Amino acid sequence: MSTARGTLPTMRSATRQMPRPRAPDPERAAKTALTQLDLSDRVRGKRIAVTAGSRGINDIVPVLRGTIDHLRHLGADPIVVAAMGSHGGATSDGQRHVLEHLGISEESMGAPISTRMATSVVARTPDGLIGYCDAVAASCDGILVVNRIKPHTAFDEPFGSGLMKMLSVGLGKAEGAAQIHRQGPAQLASAIRAIAQLLLDSSMVVAGVAILENGYDETARIEAMLPDQLVERELALYREAKLTLPRLPVAQLDVLIVDEMGKTFAGTGMDTNVIGRRRIPGLPEPTSPNIAHIVALRLSPHSEGNAQGIGLADLTTRRLVDAIDWQVTYKNTITSTFLNRGAIPVTLPSDREAITVALDILPGANAALARVIRIPNTLHLERILVSDAVADEIAGQSGVDIGPEVPWVFSTDGWLVDLS
């Protein structure tokens, strides 16, 4: 028997205890990792480009600062170079704004920052792929590449989001990013590796600093490596990162409510590894989780209007759509070639209406039995809200604590109060 339309299910807090290895002082950890490498002769008296990407890496500021301080200690002259492909609308000002939102400024870094979009050609692969590299980085005496190692949101193979991608896509700017994505999803990983190898073979890269995070979006550890170790170590670190990737606690879900999406949380706004959707023509969807309806409520202000990935949702709100910078979003979406991810879902005037519609169109529309999870975003999954049907299933899972009922609280305009 169905319940009245517009009824919302009872929700309870669920706290999940996940493995939590931590680097308590990421700045010092970066320095310590680099100290283990013999870089003195490679960098002393030389101009070294340090890469800074657009991902919302929790400790990117202290890690970059530690890297820069160590280079300066060795007698190098570091400069931070934006390495984010076509993000920020593929403009210098846009990329500078992205870095500033992440806390990366000349003041916080203690070093100059370049966001120029010009590229130089390093070399070509036997198959004709062009090795583009940020012109400022290419003019330096060396590149120290810094990034988090994490599975990609478009494919399951290594070199998804890591040092190799930073070299090939990030430093490749708009031209390099577009070239690699034009190879098609089945060839992304091999194209990333081939282009990155051109830079490694050119002797431009002096070292890499890899960041591994735990399930709480905290730095688990930092590892530095020489160029000839980079491919092998990234493969190993990728396997490790895949094991610690946060995931939903169930495989089947009626409605997933995502309070906030955006580039701060994933390249696709919502991590495809979490929501179980890619929506890439020609590629099969992940087998788990299987979610009937995804509702995206807000766009993170740190995303600079970039709503790439909004097409992964089924319903959204007028507030989110009004926050979209179409030029920035479409530039990123078109460069990726995955146009479905830029499609605007059914848009409702408020959070309450979007959530209500998602529930009302379920078969039977019985809110009391609906399997619903509400998360703050796809990056932070340690504290979530679950309906009674989900709570009953996960109550016996190790490390899961089911709390009391949490009421639905909306403003007079129908906006949902933040999950905190």
Side-chain angles (χ1 to χ4, degrees):
M1 181 177 180
S2 64
T3 55
R5 296 283 176 176
T7 300
L8 301 178
T10 298
M11 303 293 285
R12 302 185 183 280
S13 64
T15 304
R16 306 163 67 201
Q17 300 297 323
M18 297 176 282
R20 203 168 189 170
R22 296 183 67 184
D25 186 342
E27 183 171 339
R28 181 178 294 274
K31 292 179 183 179
T32 300
L34 285 165
T35 299
Q36 297 172 7
L37 306 181
D38 184 12
L39 294 180
S40 298
D41 292 341
R42 295 170 182 252
V43 304
R44 182 177 293 114
K46 297 179 179 179
R47 184 78 153 165
I48 304 297
V50 179
T51 64
S54 55
R55 294 292 185 264
I57 302 171
N58 190 47
D59 290 317
I60 191 60
V61 171
V63 171
L64 287 175
R65 193 162 50 223
T67 299
I68 290 166
D69 286 351
H70 183 72
L71 286 172
R72 196 165 275 129
H73 172 73
L74 295 179
D77 179 20
I79 178 173
V80 177
V81 173
M84 60 182 82
S86 65
H87 295 177
T91 69
S92 177
D93 286 343
Q95 297 209 344
R96 187 170 293 273
H97 284 313
V98 170
L99 293 182
E100 288 173 350
H101 257 153
L102 296 174
I104 302 170
S105 64
E106 295 189 352
E107 182 179 10
S108 66
M109 295 294 98
I113 294 178
S114 170
T115 57
R116 287 181 56 195
M117 295 301 297
T119 60
S120 298
V121 175
V122 175
R124 295 175 184 263
T125 70
D127 294 332
L129 293 177
I130 302 171
Y132 293 105
C133 181
D134 176 281
V136 172
S139 70
C140 290
D141 300 304
I143 298 171
L144 199 156
V145 57
V146 180
N147 203 14
R148 173 181 59 196
I149 306 293
K150 189 175 182 179
H152 199 275
T153 55
F155 56 87
D156 292 325
E157 303 198 38
F159 312 122
S161 183
L163 303 179
M164 299 286 279
K165 185 184 178 187
M166 186 66 88
L167 290 173
S168 57
V169 179
L171 285 174
K173 298 294 193 176
E175 296 163 300
Q179 173 188 227
I180 286 178
H181 282 286
R182 282 197 301 267
Q183 305 311 304
Q187 301 301 319
L188 277 176
S190 60
I192 287 171
R193 180 166 188 167
I195 297 296
Q197 194 64 53
L198 291 177
L199 271 69
L200 292 171
D201 291 344
S202 72
S203 300
M204 296 171 66
V205 181
V206 297
V209 172
I211 304 167
L212 277 186
E213 292 181 334
N214 59 31
Y216 295 86
D217 187 33
E218 300 165 333
T219 301
R221 81 170 195 275
I222 295 171
E223 182 174 324
M225 61 206 72
L226 295 172
D228 59 358
Q229 304 168 318
L230 198 146
V231 175
E232 180 182 354
R233 289 307 304 150
E234 179 157 340
L235 284 168
L237 293 173
Y238 169 83
R239 292 190 290 269
E240 188 174 335
K242 197 168 184 178
L243 293 175
T244 60
L245 189 71
R247 298 186 186 277
L248 296 176
V250 295
Q252 297 290 327
L253 207 56
D254 292 319
V255 177
L256 176 66
I257 302 166
V258 184
D259 280 15
E260 196 170 45
M261 64 161 288
K263 303 292 284 189
T264 308
F265 311 117
T268 47
M270 296 178 289
D271 194 330
T272 61
N273 298 292
V274 172
I275 65 175
R277 291 185 181 180
R278 292 198 183 103
R279 291 190 170 169
I280 298 176
L283 284 188
E285 291 292 90
T287 57
S288 178
N290 187 345
I291 304 170
H293 306 308
I294 296 177
V295 186
L297 301 182
R298 298 192 310 274
L299 181 63
S300 167
H302 297 295
S303 197
E304 290 279 349
N306 191 334
Q308 155 79 336
I310 184 60
L312 297 172
D314 302 293
L315 298 112
T316 190
T317 65
R318 174 55 54 190
R319 175 169 59 174
L320 191 155
V321 172
D322 287 346
I324 295 175
D325 183 321
W326 299 104
Q327 181 177 352
V328 168
T329 298
Y330 284 162
K331 178 65 178 179
N332 195 187
T333 301
I334 292 168
T335 298
S336 76
T337 74
F338 308 142
L339 301 184
N340 288 350
R341 294 179 171 185
I344 302 303
V346 172
T347 304
L348 282 302
S350 70
D351 294 348
R352 180 164 200 139
E353 290 174 83
I355 295 167
T356 297
V357 168
L359 289 163
D360 285 351
I361 62 177
L362 292 172
N366 190 334
L369 300 178
R371 299 170 58 81
V372 181
I373 291 181
R374 180 184 168 197
I375 60 177
N377 52 69
T378 57
L379 187 60
H380 302 106
L381 301 177
E382 61 273 14
R383 183 179 181 273
I384 60 180
L385 297 184
V386 299
S387 65
D388 282 342
V390 175
D392 290 342
E393 178 180 342
I394 69 174
Q397 291 184 6
S398 175
V400 173
D401 179 29
I402 304 297
E405 179 181 346
V406 177
W408 295 89
V409 181
F410 294 93
S411 71
T412 55
D413 294 327
W415 304 119
L416 193 56
V417 172
D418 286 352
L419 175 60
S420 59

